[in-house]
PDB file of all heavy atoms in Angstrom:
ATOM      1  N   GLY A  17      25.387 139.938-135.638  1.00 92.00           N
ATOM      2  CA  GLY A  17      24.009 139.618-136.019  1.00 92.00           C
ATOM      3  C   GLY A  17      23.978 138.738-137.260  1.00 92.00           C
ATOM      4  O   GLY A  17      24.901 138.752-138.086  1.00 92.00           O
ATOM      5  N   ALA A  18      22.897 137.979-137.406  1.00 95.00           N
ATOM      6  CA  ALA A  18      22.782 136.998-138.487  1.00 95.00           C
ATOM      7  C   ALA A  18      22.861 137.623-139.879  1.00 95.00           C
ATOM      8  O   ALA A  18      23.581 137.104-140.750  1.00 95.00           O
ATOM      9  CB  ALA A  18      21.490 136.193-138.325  1.00 95.00           C
ATOM     10  N   PRO A  19      22.157 138.727-140.173  1.00 95.00           N
ATOM     11  CA  PRO A  19      22.240 139.294-141.528  1.00 95.00           C
ATOM     12  C   PRO A  19      23.649 139.750-141.899  1.00 95.00           C
ATOM     13  O   PRO A  19      24.109 139.503-143.027  1.00 95.00           O
ATOM     14  CB  PRO A  19      21.271 140.479-141.464  1.00 95.00           C
ATOM     15  CG  PRO A  19      20.313 140.134-140.372  1.00 95.00           C
ATOM     16  CD  PRO A  19      21.131 139.413-139.357  1.00 95.00           C
ATOM     17  N   ARG A  20      24.336 140.380-140.974  1.00 95.00           N
ATOM     18  CA  ARG A  20      25.691 140.842-141.274  1.00 95.00           C
ATOM     19  C   ARG A  20      26.639 139.658-141.425  1.00 95.00           C
ATOM     20  O   ARG A  20      27.519 139.660-142.297  1.00 95.00           O
ATOM     21  CB  ARG A  20      26.176 141.802-140.189  1.00 95.00           C
ATOM     22  CG  ARG A  20      27.593 142.303-140.438  1.00 95.00           C
ATOM     23  CD  ARG A  20      27.940 143.532-139.623  1.00 95.00           C
ATOM     24  NE  ARG A  20      27.395 144.747-140.242  1.00 95.00           N
ATOM     25  CZ  ARG A  20      26.399 145.453-139.734  1.00 95.00           C
ATOM     26  NH1 ARG A  20      25.840 145.079-138.595  1.00 95.00           N
ATOM     27  NH2 ARG A  20      25.947 146.529-140.354  1.00 95.00           N
ATOM     28  N   LEU A  21      26.492 138.648-140.579  1.00 95.00           N
ATOM     29  CA  LEU A  21      27.332 137.459-140.717  1.00 95.00           C
ATOM     30  C   LEU A  21      27.142 136.812-142.084  1.00 95.00           C
ATOM     31  O   LEU A  21      28.104 136.364-142.717  1.00 95.00           O
ATOM     32  CB  LEU A  21      27.008 136.456-139.605  1.00 95.00           C
ATOM     33  CG  LEU A  21      27.792 136.581-138.297  1.00 95.00           C
ATOM     34  CD1 LEU A  21      27.236 135.618-137.257  1.00 95.00           C
ATOM     35  CD2 LEU A  21      29.274 136.324-138.533  1.00 95.00           C
ATOM     36  N   HIS A  22      25.908 136.764-142.546  1.00 94.00           N
ATOM     37  CA  HIS A  22      25.632 136.189-143.866  1.00 94.00           C
ATOM     38  C   HIS A  22      26.324 137.005-144.962  1.00 94.00           C
ATOM     39  O   HIS A  22      26.922 136.425-145.885  1.00 94.00           O
ATOM     40  CB  HIS A  22      24.129 136.133-144.110  1.00 94.00           C
ATOM     41  CG  HIS A  22      23.760 135.613-145.474  1.00 94.00           C
ATOM     42  ND1 HIS A  22      23.901 134.276-145.824  1.00 94.00           N
ATOM     43  CD2 HIS A  22      23.284 136.260-146.585  1.00 94.00           C
ATOM     44  CE1 HIS A  22      23.517 134.112-147.076  1.00 94.00           C
ATOM     45  NE2 HIS A  22      23.147 135.299-147.560  1.00 94.00           N
ATOM     46  N   ARG A  23      26.248 138.323-144.875  1.00 94.00           N
ATOM     47  CA  ARG A  23      26.911 139.173-145.866  1.00 94.00           C
ATOM     48  C   ARG A  23      28.412 138.946-145.859  1.00 94.00           C
ATOM     49  O   ARG A  23      29.051 138.885-146.914  1.00 94.00           O
ATOM     50  CB  ARG A  23      26.612 140.651-145.593  1.00 94.00           C
ATOM     51  CG  ARG A  23      25.214 141.088-145.921  1.00 94.00           C
ATOM     52  CD  ARG A  23      25.134 142.599-146.118  1.00 94.00           C
ATOM     53  NE  ARG A  23      25.620 143.352-144.978  1.00 94.00           N
ATOM     54  CZ  ARG A  23      24.858 143.697-143.946  1.00 94.00           C
ATOM     55  NH1 ARG A  23      23.581 143.318-143.890  1.00 94.00           N
ATOM     56  NH2 ARG A  23      25.355 144.415-142.964  1.00 94.00           N
ATOM     57  N   VAL A  24      28.979 138.841-144.671  1.00 94.00           N
ATOM     58  CA  VAL A  24      30.427 138.642-144.559  1.00 94.00           C
ATOM     59  C   VAL A  24      30.834 137.304-145.162  1.00 94.00           C
ATOM     60  O   VAL A  24      31.801 137.221-145.928  1.00 94.00           O
ATOM     61  CB  VAL A  24      30.865 138.742-143.085  1.00 94.00           C
ATOM     62  CG1 VAL A  24      32.303 138.247-142.912  1.00 94.00           C
ATOM     63  CG2 VAL A  24      30.736 140.174-142.581  1.00 94.00           C
ATOM     64  N   ARG A  25      30.116 136.258-144.826  1.00 93.00           N
ATOM     65  CA  ARG A  25      30.457 134.931-145.369  1.00 93.00           C
ATOM     66  C   ARG A  25      30.331 134.916-146.894  1.00 93.00           C
ATOM     67  O   ARG A  25      31.176 134.335-147.589  1.00 93.00           O
ATOM     68  CB  ARG A  25      29.556 133.863-144.758  1.00 93.00           C
ATOM     69  CG  ARG A  25      29.788 133.623-143.272  1.00 93.00           C
ATOM     70  CD  ARG A  25      28.974 132.432-142.784  1.00 93.00           C
ATOM     71  NE  ARG A  25      28.941 132.365-141.336  1.00 93.00           N
ATOM     72  CZ  ARG A  25      29.941 131.874-140.584  1.00 93.00           C
ATOM     73  NH1 ARG A  25      31.032 131.413-141.162  1.00 93.00           N
ATOM     74  NH2 ARG A  25      29.809 131.845-139.263  1.00 93.00           N
ATOM     75  N   THR A  26      29.287 135.553-147.419  1.00 92.00           N
ATOM     76  CA  THR A  26      29.102 135.603-148.870  1.00 92.00           C
ATOM     77  C   THR A  26      30.246 136.362-149.536  1.00 92.00           C
ATOM     78  O   THR A  26      30.779 135.933-150.575  1.00 92.00           O
ATOM     79  CB  THR A  26      27.761 136.278-149.209  1.00 92.00           C
ATOM     80  OG1 THR A  26      26.691 135.535-148.610  1.00 92.00           O
ATOM     81  CG2 THR A  26      27.546 136.336-150.718  1.00 92.00           C
ATOM     82  N   ALA A  27      30.639 137.479-148.929  1.00 92.00           N
ATOM     83  CA  ALA A  27      31.746 138.253-149.490  1.00 92.00           C
ATOM     84  C   ALA A  27      33.047 137.466-149.456  1.00 92.00           C
ATOM     85  O   ALA A  27      33.796 137.432-150.446  1.00 92.00           O
ATOM     86  CB  ALA A  27      31.897 139.561-148.714  1.00 92.00           C
ATOM     87  N   LEU A  28      33.329 136.816-148.332  1.00 92.00           N
ATOM     88  CA  LEU A  28      34.564 136.039-148.212  1.00 92.00           C
ATOM     89  C   LEU A  28      34.624 134.924-149.247  1.00 92.00           C
ATOM     90  O   LEU A  28      35.681 134.644-149.829  1.00 92.00           O
ATOM     91  CB  LEU A  28      34.672 135.449-146.800  1.00 92.00           C
ATOM     92  CG  LEU A  28      35.002 136.432-145.673  1.00 92.00           C
ATOM     93  CD1 LEU A  28      34.829 135.771-144.318  1.00 92.00           C
ATOM     94  CD2 LEU A  28      36.421 136.954-145.824  1.00 92.00           C
TER      95      LEU A  28
END
Side-chain angles (χ1 to χ4, degrees):
R20 179 163 280 110
L21 271 174
H22 177 72
R23 287 201 304 272
V24 168
R25 292 187 193 280
T26 301
L28 287 170

